[in-house]
Amino acid sequence: VPSHDMLHAISYPVLPPFLGENIPQKAIVLWLGARTTVALTMLFMLLPQRLHDSAVYLLLAYALIFAVTGVAYYDLLPALFITGSGLTSLKVGLEWLLVASYLLLAYRMHLLKQSIFASQWLTAGMLVLAFGELFFCFYQLVDDLANGLGHVFKVVGQAFFLRGVIESRLLLPYQQLKVEKAAHEDAMQRMHTLVASAPLGVLVADTDGIIVKSNPAAEVLFSAESDGLIGLPVDALVPK
């Protein structure tokens, strides 16, 4: 998405030519490539985890094809903008399709069984992007107010979207790991307390038969000092 946005920006008509003439058609194709890539990224995030690797390759291939088409073969595509007339019906239809896609993805994000904060950020990002796309259905000039407002909402929406991705893919797994670690430590402490207070002698040995833990009852049973049994082989305590 950033690469598409960069290509879109440097293809702006008032900038120096980049790999050919800079015209609205070229910039719009790259713009649509970036926006559809965002939608596909969100869609792939909803797929089962086992499919994510394959989805990444498909997404990269799609982005590359759109980038090459937008830079070198934009003139072979149907017209999306006509100077003096504004947007074509095809361009407007594609923008409305993006709006609908973002709204559907926002609803799906809202139903995610993840952290409520991650879900809210992702949903907000999709809603802001959907609202921003509306401005790109009505502008007549590439530098008019509607076009500018659409870009502002794009930046805000993608910031929300990025915050949601960070929450769901980085912070949430870390928080879950922290909770699991605390639960494991609590279980180990409970087991230690249970073993230490047991009235019968308890010895814990590793796979080599070396004692790694003993309770007070076992130490009394074998007339050993505190922790005196640790490091001894179990066979040494068995009468021959």
Side-chain angles (χ1 to χ4, degrees):
V1 174
S3 62
H4 278 175
D5 281 339
M6 181 188 68
L7 292 173
H8 165 73
I10 61 181
S11 298
Y12 197 66
V14 299
L15 296 178
F18 170 71
L19 297 178
E21 183 183 6
N22 285 357
I23 60 174
Q25 172 84 357
K26 181 179 180 180
I28 290 173
V29 170
L30 293 167
W31 168 265
L32 291 175
R35 305 288 71 75
T36 53
T37 301
V38 171
L40 287 174
T41 300
M42 292 300 299
L43 178 62
F44 288 162
M45 286 178 63
L46 300 175
L47 296 176
Q49 187 70 35
R50 67 180 184 278
L51 300 178
H52 281 190
D53 289 342
S54 299
V56 168
Y57 291 116
L58 290 175
L59 188 62
L60 290 175
Y62 173 84
L64 179 60
I65 291 172
F66 230 113
V68 173
T69 302
V71 171
Y73 302 105
Y74 57 88
D75 54 339
L76 300 179
L77 301 176
L80 300 171
F81 183 90
I82 299 175
T83 303
S85 300
L87 302 175
T88 65
S89 57
L90 174 60
K91 168 64 160 61
V92 174
L94 291 174
E95 291 292 355
W96 278 108
L97 183 61
L98 275 174
V99 170
S101 300
Y102 286 156
L103 290 176
L104 288 174
L105 286 169
Y107 175 72
R108 186 63 184 84
M109 292 296 108
H110 180 67
L111 300 179
L112 278 178
K113 295 180 179 180
Q114 296 190 27
S115 161
I116 185 172
F117 298 108
S119 178
Q120 287 177 346
W121 282 113
L122 293 171
T123 302
M126 289 293 99
L127 290 176
V128 173
L129 288 175
F131 184 73
E133 288 299 323
L134 293 175
F135 290 97
F136 296 109
C137 297
F138 304 110
Y139 69 89
Q140 297 298 316
L141 301 172
V142 295
D143 56 355
D144 65 11
L145 179 61
N147 198 348
L149 288 174
H151 281 82
V152 170
F153 278 97
K154 181 212 72 170
V155 173
V156 175
Q158 290 194 167
F160 285 176
F161 172 76
L162 180 60
R163 181 63 178 81
V165 171
I166 293 174
E167 176 76 29
S168 61
R169 300 299 177 181
L170 295 178
L171 298 182
L172 183 59
Y174 175 77
Q175 293 169 354
Q176 291 175 336
L177 179 62
K178 188 176 180 180
V179 170
E180 292 172 1
K181 181 180 179 181
H184 174 73
E185 291 176 349
D186 181 66
M188 292 298 294
Q189 181 61 38
R190 288 174 180 271
M191 185 184 74
H192 175 75
T193 301
L194 181 64
V195 170
S197 60
L200 299 178
V202 177
L203 297 175
V204 179
D206 60 17
T207 54
D208 295 323
I210 303 300
I211 298 172
V212 295
K213 188 174 183 58
S214 62
N215 69 342
E219 293 163 356
V220 171
L221 179 64
F222 292 103
S223 302
E225 298 180 355
S226 178
D227 295 332
L229 299 176
I230 296 178
L232 297 177
V234 173
D235 293 343
L237 302 180
V238 180
K240 295 184 180 181

